Amino acid sequence: MSEVLLGQSYYLRFDPKLWEAMQPYPPLGTLYAASYLRSRGYDVALFDAMLAESEAEWDAALDRERPRFAVLYEDNFNYLSKMCLLRMREAAFVMIRAARERGCTVIVAGSDATDHAGRYLQAGADFVLLGEGEYTLAELLDHLTGRSDQPLEGILGLAYPDPTQPDGVKRTPRRPDIRDLDALPFPAWDLVDVPRYRDIWLRRHGYFSMNMVTTRGCPFHCNWCAKPIWGQRYNARSPENVAAELKWLRDNFQPDHIWFVDDIMGLKPGWLQRYADEVERLGVRTPFKSLHRVDLLLRGDTIEALARAGAQIVWVGAESGSQRILDAMEKGTKVEQIVEVARRLHAAGIQVGFFLQFGYPGETRADIELTLQMVRDCQPDDIGVSVAYPLPGTPFHERVKDQLGVKQNWLDSNDLAMLYRGPFTTEFYRQLHVVVHKEFRMRKHWRVLRGLARRPGQLRRRHLRMAAAAVFYAATLPLERRRLDRLEKVPHQGVGPLPPTISPEEAAIPTPQAPAEGD
């Protein structure tokens, strides 16, 4: 039995594309909440939905732990949680009802709950944590257990039912974000079935990867990016604290690889250089993947520091090969910066991943072709393809919300539905996804095989499969392109270009933050 049962509603099983990819990571944000509550003296158990078959396993956890408090604390570092997929929201509602049926006080935290607190309260939750949740959760539990006489209305970042309010929901003022992230205890990894994760990774990929985070938030202005938890704020752990956690993970769990789940890693000047120094000093250099902005990667010896620290693949939000579209997105970056970063990363022996986004208002077929040409020229090692996705709280959503229908979220990560009147139809963008991936894989396979032609002694069975796949892609790609051309001509009334709210130069400047007390 435990006083508090923490869980989350992202079930990998409910996301077919990512279930097939099978690269599971435990809910890091939930683990931070668990460790913080334990530091405050609470007895905590964890339900990890990531590898669960269904909500029935949550029912079993409730019956086993018999908690007084059931807390659905979504992983705010998981970009899919931030996308608020419909299937996961449905799972959350099922989990709320199950906990209420057992007499638990139900508390919910996460991006979707922050945006739609009323829906979660109507589904049966007693409280919703708004924004960053650790401190709010602890104060709420202190109130509910009698450890504190602080009234509910005095707890910042909280929503709960109140019939006197116009929408029936009382919301207290926003809580200031945690500035001293080093003061938080490391995530509660002892609550995770780490051997199960290790076995899956080793069987499917031949190595074991774990997740870490060095920052919270992003201060840049991309107008389609939802930020319900941290807004425009950005706070970072010290490089020394991060390296110490890496050493702790290595000593206790022996990961072969790390995924840094930051929105932007190493924004502060000199951070990555200090981190590389500390990793070398501790002797814990570990291959990792991370996400960065191209303009920041071009500063000084940033790429060299990444290489020293162990970067294996660096992902960048390339988004588009059309400068017109990047400016419309208020991205604050240049196509030439994307090209130069890809060149420098490859020269440093670091792989490159491109996130690509299609379907932004005003996009033309010519803009799409510029993006495809950028991929051909830069030869990234991997790509992720999505379409413009309007989420509450973004300028993009505000400008297209009148076009949104009943469906305002994807069911799962492979949905790719145009939720507003995009430049082309949903079917066009789904077919574009097929074309982009087939061409990318075909060209990548041919590059590998051409390299092997100079080293025939290294030929393996997997390379024969790669050759067969490349031939298949080459044979079928013309048919896929012709289908895309036909779908381009389907009658469709899309929204035109949206006027920018800020200049490209302003988009590249982080929002200044007031210094914390003692800074």
Side-chain angles (χ1 to χ4, degrees):
M1 295 177 60
S2 300
E3 187 175 17
V4 182
L5 176 61
L6 281 161
Q8 97 285 2
S9 66
Y10 182 81
Y11 291 75
L12 194 63
R13 172 68 77 175
F14 296 164
D15 200 333
K17 182 179 75 172
L18 294 188
W19 179 260
E20 176 64 25
M22 193 49 69
Q23 296 182 351
Y25 292 94
L28 197 60
T30 317
L31 299 184
Y32 267 108
S35 64
Y36 183 69
L37 287 184
R38 291 203 301 198
S39 75
R40 295 284 295 263
Y42 287 96
D43 180 27
V44 174
L46 174 72
F47 168 73
D48 184 0
M50 182 61 68
L51 297 177
E53 289 292 323
S54 72
E55 300 96 333
E57 293 191 35
W58 166 253
D59 293 356
L62 289 168
D63 292 337
R64 181 178 63 252
E65 300 296 336
R66 297 172 61 190
R68 178 178 175 185
F69 304 103
V71 183
L72 296 188
Y73 199 104
E74 302 300 337
D75 182 9
N76 294 319
F77 303 116
N78 180 348
Y79 75 97
L80 292 166
S81 292
K82 289 187 283 188
M83 288 176 67
C84 311
L85 301 174
L86 280 177
R87 185 62 186 87
M88 310 312 168
R89 180 190 290 167
E90 292 168 358
F93 290 174
V94 170
M95 295 167 75
I96 289 169
R97 289 194 293 271
R100 283 296 298 268
E101 288 169 359
R102 289 162 173 82
C104 300
T105 297
V106 183
I107 304 166
V108 182
S111 296
D112 196 38
T114 293
D115 283 334
H116 303 289
R119 291 191 186 183
Y120 283 81
L121 295 172
Q122 290 169 9
D126 295 288
F127 301 96
V128 171
L129 312 183
L130 306 175
E132 193 173 44
E134 287 98 335
Y135 289 1
T136 303
L137 178 58
E139 288 186 16
L140 175 60
L141 292 180
D142 287 349
H143 167 86
L144 296 173
T145 58
R147 297 188 189 187
S148 166
D149 58 5
Q150 183 179 24
L152 281 179
E153 58 268 23
I155 300 175
L156 300 178
L158 188 64
Y160 51 91
D162 182 347
T164 68
Q165 300 298 314
D167 64 349
V169 179
K170 170 69 175 179
R171 295 173 176 84
T172 65
R174 179 186 175 91
R175 177 179 296 275
D177 294 333
I178 301 171
R179 297 295 301 272
D180 183 9
L181 298 180
D182 287 4
L184 293 173
F186 292 162
W189 277 98
D190 59 292
L191 298 177
V192 176
D193 187 354
V194 174
R196 186 181 181 195
Y197 279 91
R198 180 186 292 111
D199 180 63
I200 290 171
W201 274 94
L202 291 175
R203 282 191 289 108
R204 291 293 299 268
H205 308 288
Y207 65 94
F208 173 41
S209 184
M210 298 180 77
N211 48 342
M212 295 176 60
V213 67
T214 76
T215 62
R216 296 184 176 196
C218 171
F220 289 92
H221 301 274
C222 307
N223 61 30
W224 42 266
C225 184
K227 301 177 180 181
I229 303 300
W230 292 290
Q232 293 294 131
R233 286 156 289 275
Y234 179 93
N235 293 300
R237 299 167 61 189
S238 70
E240 295 76 17
N241 184 256
V242 175
E245 183 188 358
L246 177 58
K247 185 178 187 307
W248 181 80
L249 289 176
R250 290 268 300 247
D251 290 344
N252 288 276
F253 303 109
Q254 300 81 48
D256 305 303
H257 177 269
I258 295 294
W259 174 30
F260 285 109
V261 297
D262 308 54
D263 288 338
I264 300 177
M265 184 183 182
L267 184 152
K268 292 188 174 182
W271 193 98
L272 284 166
Q273 290 81 350
R274 285 172 54 197
Y275 177 67
D277 292 343
E278 191 66 9
V279 163
E280 290 176 334
R281 186 184 72 81
L282 295 175
V284 292
R285 186 177 186 273
T286 306
F288 67 85
K289 67 176 177 179
S290 52
L291 176 60
H292 302 259
R293 276 178 62 98
V294 291
D295 50 349
L296 302 183
L297 286 171
L298 295 175
R299 296 187 309 197
D301 62 345
T302 297
I303 290 176
E304 291 76 7
L306 279 166
R308 285 197 296 120
Q312 182 183 63
I313 181 167
V314 162
W315 283 84
V316 298
E319 314 304 351
S320 177
S322 166
Q323 190 61 53
R324 188 177 69 86
I325 296 299
L326 291 179
D327 291 345
M329 291 177 172
E330 297 167 346
K331 180 74 181 178
T333 56
K334 304 291 184 183
V335 174
E336 53 265 29
Q337 292 173 327
I338 301 169
V339 175
E340 179 63 10
V341 158
R343 185 191 69 78
R344 290 195 194 180
L345 286 169
H346 280 146
I350 301 173
Q351 296 178 31
V352 184
F354 279 2
F355 287 117
L356 305 174
Q357 181 183 157
F358 296 102
Y360 196 80
E363 181 182 63
T364 66
R365 185 65 185 271
D367 294 317
I368 292 171
E369 292 302 328
L370 284 173
T371 301
L372 299 184
Q373 189 59 50
M374 178 183 70
V375 173
R376 297 178 194 122
D377 294 341
C378 294
Q379 299 182 9
D381 300 274
D382 205 352
I383 58 172
V385 177
S386 188
V387 298
Y389 189 85
L391 281 173
T394 65
F396 175 36
H397 181 275
E398 185 64 25
R399 287 184 258 172
V400 302
K401 64 182 180 182
D402 292 340
Q403 303 169 29
L404 301 179
V406 174
K407 180 176 179 178
Q408 299 192 13
N409 297 83
W410 288 351
L411 179 64
D412 55 49
S413 64
N414 202 37
D415 192 324
L416 296 181
M418 294 300 294
L419 301 176
Y420 76 107
R421 291 201 307 271
F424 301 104
T425 63
T426 290
E427 290 72 23
F428 173 88
Y429 286 107
R430 287 174 174 165
Q431 180 63 16
L432 177 61
H433 185 273
V434 172
V435 169
V436 172
H437 275 285
K438 278 200 171 187
E439 179 179 324
F440 171 76
R441 291 169 185 158
M442 178 190 72
R443 290 176 177 273
K444 182 177 179 179
H445 289 351
W446 285 136
R447 287 198 301 272
V448 172
L449 294 169
R450 280 196 296 269
L452 285 172
R454 296 188 290 271
R455 306 185 303 277
Q458 297 184 19
L459 189 65
R460 300 289 185 271
R461 181 176 297 179
R462 65 184 179 86
H463 296 127
L464 297 178
R465 292 195 297 268
M466 189 181 294
V471 170
F472 172 75
Y473 294 145
T476 57
L477 187 57
L479 295 175
E480 302 290 6
R481 278 193 168 276
R482 284 199 288 273
R483 181 160 188 260
L484 185 69
D485 292 340
R486 289 196 298 272
L487 289 170
E488 179 187 3
K489 297 177 175 61
V490 171
H492 174 70
Q493 184 176 1
V495 65
L498 301 177
T501 58
I502 58 177
S503 70
E505 291 73 22
E506 290 174 313
I509 301 174
T511 300
Q513 299 182 115
E517 184 178 349
D519 281 4

